[in-house]
Amino acid sequence: MLPFPIRFILATYGSDGTFHTLNSRGFITNGTFYTRSTALVATKPQHRSLPILAAKPTTSLLPATPGDSLETNYYVYFFSDIISQLEITPYLNKEFWNRNILVPSQSSECVRHAVLALGATHWQFSARNQSTAALDRFVLKHYNEAISQLTCNQASPPDMSTVLTCCILFVILESLRGDFSEAVRHLESGTRILTNHVPKAYLPNRDFVELAAIFHAIAAQVAIFAPERVFPDVTHLLTPTKQQKRLEGQFRTLDEAEDIMNQFDDAVSHISWDLDQEWEDEESECNTQWSILQQNIDIWKCEFEALVKKLQDKKEPIDWEKVLNLRIQHKLWELLIREQSDDDENFEAYLDPGECNALLDQLEKLWCNPARPRFGLKIDLTAALFQLYVYCTDENVRQRIIFLLRSQSRREIIWDSGQLADFLENDMVLRAVGLQNDRWPEIGPHNSSSTQSNLNMLVNKTVSIAMAIISYGVSATLGAQPRPKAVVYRGPASSEGCPEGIHDLLVSSPSNFEVVYAGPNEPIDVIEALKGATIYAHGGGPNWSKAYRSTKKYEKAIQEFVNSGGHYLGFCLGAYLAGPKNGYNLLPKGVDTEQEIERRGAQVKGEEDTVINVDWTFESGKTEDKRWLYFQDGVVIRGMDGSKPGKIVGRYSANGDVAASITPYGKGWVGLVGPHPEADQTWYDGAHITNPEGIRMDIGHDFVEATIHAGSHKRS
């Protein structure tokens, strides 16, 4: 948060385009923020280079900007990096932002200050909220300057385009800051200015029309699940873009296909919000428009697949990520149409777990793509995950969706992946105790007599959940069927974050484990916790020999647990501890554990946190070569040859050493893995490394499931 939160500046827009400011804690004068009880906030930013911009010279394509080097850096960053991430449609793309912001930022002080504040805020968000007091002051100064420039000369107020340009920049800035109510308020104010504007001439104003287009596009994204119109309708202000005559039976480009699909949103909004809901009358306008929409969606699929086939036949470059995304979006449209078009008014479209998991497999490739920006204005993947949550009621699938949302920190305008995960997790609890029966959870902004920007996703439902647990008990809250129990060691023989990573992996796995932490400093120690458990897991940690000395007291209990049918999961250090040397001796005779970094031909030779290639054989029998996994001095399982019981599920790609194995011990099974398939985004951020293929949990989930299902497959 900023030292003097910008939310204290209560800005209101007049319907004529003027901008009025109220301030509950201070006032703005000459661009400097004062409070009644504090001294002047220093506004001169420190002169320092930006880590990600220091080596980037100011491009000659951009006019020189007034101000110091820090201002120039953020100004260039906005036009060289940020605008490429703000594409909503093929038309509202990087060129659109460059065309509509660059010139105003050179001619208008308030727009320039808004650009600088937004540039710094975006960098702060992209750097995982690595906030500094100097950067906070920089953002605050320029945000206040932008507002001050809009309000300082009431005798000659800024023109309409300038006000609307600042307004849209404020929407994005507040979304980045996480103040979604303020972002929605700016958006609502801007659309209201547009609808109340009476032009002095009938000739279309290009700037005005293009600003109306961006307000319309963002408002449609924000209110995508609203039951009624939230923002004023500005479609009458839009000028249709000139398009080539459509080819019969196919699209020309993927952009054209995407543009047509985007029009489906407007069609549904018009039917749902603007037309009389006379569904009983077969000849009513809403039924007529719905039939047209249904036909267009069916035609879209045929024309789209014809386009993809043509591109493949001509061996032209294909944006497969866009193809995949559009196919997922079309599937969701089909579900909506199927549900609304069925003669039975009580019919509800559902996806079975297998079909939904197949879609999630495809969506995960997009979601985990490291090249995908963490922030954008297009609500596609978060909305898709929310819709799949609704269409598939299987608890394991829903847990997977929640885990996916948490695996990547992403924000699409006001739709934040972490907050959506919390919302859906709360929804599951409320459903389990009968306090939530609506199929579609009420989410997002909606019209209300108390506030125009009531964001239900952000409403804290802790009290309701607590009352549910008190009234019905924990077992009822978690569902009628008991979840299998997993014990995860947490103590001096583990590193911070490692037990928590295993916890998240087990909870999100298809078996949906109930996880208990155990250790000398936990409410329950290991020996007691093992009673009734299916899995005992030990993750990464410090020195191998020290870890064994501190956990040796559990050795007999762990051996008895596995021997009687339990399952041991060892990740990195936990895998070392399963061996005969400085370990619990859980492996077949002749098999032991050692450091992979000491092996001939090893891909990694040091103890630093990095990534490594692994060839992984899934439980299905499919092998994927050279998958990237988090690695820090991981184990190699030596001695696993054809004479040993069990199976090899992972090999280090560089030298073929065994990276993961599943072997029997008595009636139970021991799963070991050298790398860290449980590593989530926080691990990579903390180590300042990236996964070239994105962070995916499919190997981790497969490792867990293959271990507990061991004995039913031949060794690979």
Side-chain angles (χ1 to χ4, degrees), residues 364-649:
E364 186 175 3
K365 296 176 183 178
L366 303 177
W367 184 256
C368 297
N369 182 357
R372 190 177 183 88
R374 292 183 59 232
F375 178 82
L377 299 182
K378 184 189 295 185
I379 299 174
D380 50 4
L381 299 190
T382 49
L385 287 169
F386 174 66
Q387 289 171 278
L388 291 176
Y389 173 91
V390 171
Y391 285 125
C392 185
T393 58
D394 182 82
E395 286 196 7
N396 290 334
V397 172
R398 287 184 164 182
Q399 288 286 357
R400 181 185 178 187
I401 290 170
I402 291 169
F403 182 81
L404 265 178
L405 286 165
R406 288 212 172 98
S407 69
Q408 304 288 326
S409 177
R410 298 200 185 283
R411 185 173 297 163
E412 296 172 349
I413 317 181
I414 67 169
W415 302 91
D416 182 87
S417 60
Q419 292 185 354
L420 180 57
D422 292 341
F423 175 85
L424 296 181
E425 193 167 62
N426 290 349
D427 181 75
M428 287 189 69
V429 174
L430 293 174
R431 290 180 188 280
V433 297
L435 296 181
Q436 170 64 288
N437 297 313
D438 293 338
R439 188 182 187 206
W440 289 85
E442 192 173 349
I443 191 170
H446 65 83
N447 276 319
S448 168
S449 58
S450 60
T451 175
Q452 289 289 321
S453 57
N454 179 17
L455 301 181
N456 290 306
M457 187 171 72
L458 307 181
V459 173
N460 189 339
K461 295 190 175 181
T462 305
V463 175
S464 299
I465 295 171
M467 291 300 295
I469 294 175
I470 292 171
S471 301
Y472 295 91
V474 175
S475 61
T477 304
L478 296 177
Q481 295 297 323
R483 295 157 63 192
K485 176 183 175 182
V487 178
V488 175
Y489 173 85
R490 185 163 65 178
S494 65
S495 294
E496 183 179 357
C498 291
E500 292 77 14
I502 297 174
H503 168 282
D504 292 345
L505 182 72
L506 293 171
V507 168
S508 64
S509 71
S511 295
N512 187 213
F513 286 92
E514 179 182 356
V515 177
V516 175
Y517 291 118
N521 302 320
E522 296 296 324
I524 186 171
D525 208 349
V526 172
I527 296 174
E528 182 67 23
L530 287 175
K531 295 176 182 178
T534 300
I535 279 178
Y536 174 72
H538 195 123
N543 182 274
W544 178 7
S545 59
K546 289 182 179 179
Y548 176 63
R549 287 198 298 272
S550 66
T551 60
K552 186 176 181 179
K553 58 185 176 182
Y554 307 132
E555 181 174 343
K556 184 177 180 181
I558 293 171
Q559 289 175 343
E560 291 177 351
F561 165 74
V562 181
N563 185 61
S564 61
H567 302 81
Y568 178 92
L569 293 181
F571 299 77
C572 195
L573 174 64
Y576 283 105
L577 290 173
K581 181 179 67 175
N582 287 328
Y584 311 140
N585 200 18
L586 298 174
L587 300 179
K589 187 176 181 180
V591 178
D592 65 2
T593 56
E594 263 301 341
Q595 291 176 284
E596 168 62 14
I597 62 175
E598 299 294 334
R599 299 279 290 177
R600 178 181 299 176
Q603 181 178 349
V604 177
K605 290 293 188 179
E607 296 184 1
E608 71 278 4
D609 293 75
T610 184
V611 290
I612 197 168
N613 284 125
V614 173
D615 301 337
W616 192 270
T617 300
F618 287 84
E619 198 176 7
S620 64
K622 178 183 69 173
T623 298
E624 292 189 11
D625 295 337
K626 294 187 176 181
R627 287 289 302 273
W628 290 97
L629 291 176
Y630 193 104
F631 182 82
Q632 195 276 315
D633 194 12
V635 73
V636 55
I637 300 112
R638 301 191 306 177
M640 280 293 292
D641 55 37
S643 65
K644 303 299 189 300
K647 61 180 180 178
I648 298 168
V649 293

Side-chain angles (χ1 to χ4, degrees), residues 147-441:
I147 295 174
S148 177
Q149 292 292 332
L150 285 170
T151 61
C152 64
N153 189 355
Q154 292 298 324
S156 179
D159 61 84
M160 177 77 69
S161 294
T162 298
V163 172
L164 291 172
T165 299
C166 286
C167 183
I168 205 67
L169 293 173
F170 293 162
V171 170
I172 301 171
L173 190 152
E174 293 291 4
S175 297
L176 282 163
R177 292 185 60 247
D179 194 340
F180 303 135
S181 294
E182 191 70 6
V184 170
R185 193 182 64 78
H186 281 301
L187 187 58
E188 194 273 341
S189 298
T191 53
R192 195 165 299 283
I193 291 173
L194 285 164
T195 55
N196 291 336
H197 175 61
V198 179
K200 296 179 180 179
Y202 288 101
L203 293 176
N205 181 311
R206 177 180 174 180
D207 293 341
F208 189 80
V209 169
E210 292 203 324
L211 286 166
I214 194 65
F215 271 99
H216 170 70
I218 294 179
Q221 299 279 303
V222 170
I224 187 171
F225 296 115
E228 57 188 352
R229 186 173 292 283
V230 177
F231 304 103
D233 185 13
V234 298
T235 53
H236 62 286
L237 301 173
L238 307 181
T239 300
T241 55
K242 292 184 178 180
Q243 296 181 345
Q244 291 178 292
K245 185 178 180 180
R246 289 283 310 280
L247 293 176
E248 186 68 27
Q250 68 182 48
F251 299 116
R252 281 188 172 85
T253 64
L254 291 175
D255 283 349
E256 184 181 22
E258 182 182 1
D259 190 54
I260 296 299
M261 177 171 281
N262 289 334
Q263 294 175 21
F264 297 159
D265 287 316
D266 287 339
V268 168
S269 298
H270 174 62
I271 295 169
S272 303
W273 295 341
D274 302 330
L275 299 181
D276 293 332
Q277 304 299 292
E278 299 173 339
W279 296 101
E280 296 80 6
D281 181 1
E282 293 184 359
E283 297 182 358
S284 65
E285 184 66 13
C286 63
N287 273 313
T288 300
Q289 293 300 321
W290 189 262
S291 296
I292 294 173
L293 175 63
Q294 183 177 1
Q295 293 171 10
N296 288 338
I297 289 174
D298 291 339
I299 292 171
W300 185 95
K301 182 178 182 180
C302 297
E303 296 190 358
F304 176 74
E305 295 302 336
L307 168 64
V308 174
K309 185 177 185 303
K310 184 185 76 170
L311 294 175
Q312 288 178 302
D313 291 343
K314 291 185 176 181
K315 297 183 179 180
E316 295 183 10
I318 300 177
D319 184 347
W320 284 110
E321 183 167 315
K322 178 171 286 190
V323 170
L324 180 56
N325 197 350
L326 289 173
R327 281 175 173 162
I328 292 172
Q329 301 301 326
H330 183 265
K331 178 62 179 179
L332 295 171
W333 276 111
E334 284 186 326
L335 288 168
L336 176 66
I337 291 294
R338 186 199 313 169
E339 180 168 297
Q340 297 298 324
S341 302
D342 196 272
D343 293 334
D344 182 1
E345 62 180 18
N346 295 319
F347 173 78
E348 294 180 339
Y350 284 100
L351 284 171
D352 64 66
E355 188 177 9
C356 192
N357 272 317
L359 284 171
L360 286 173
D361 288 342
Q362 299 299 309
L363 199 151
E364 186 175 3
K365 296 176 183 178
L366 303 177
W367 184 256
C368 297
N369 182 357
R372 190 177 183 88
R374 292 183 59 232
F375 178 82
L377 299 182
K378 184 189 295 185
I379 299 174
D380 50 4
L381 299 190
T382 49
L385 287 169
F386 174 66
Q387 289 171 278
L388 291 176
Y389 173 91
V390 171
Y391 285 125
C392 185
T393 58
D394 182 82
E395 286 196 7
N396 290 334
V397 172
R398 287 184 164 182
Q399 288 286 357
R400 181 185 178 187
I401 290 170
I402 291 169
F403 182 81
L404 265 178
L405 286 165
R406 288 212 172 98
S407 69
Q408 304 288 326
S409 177
R410 298 200 185 283
R411 185 173 297 163
E412 296 172 349
I413 317 181
I414 67 169
W415 302 91
D416 182 87
S417 60
Q419 292 185 354
L420 180 57
D422 292 341
F423 175 85
L424 296 181
E425 193 167 62
N426 290 349
D427 181 75
M428 287 189 69
V429 174
L430 293 174
R431 290 180 188 280
V433 297
L435 296 181
Q436 170 64 288
N437 297 313
D438 293 338
R439 188 182 187 206
W440 289 85

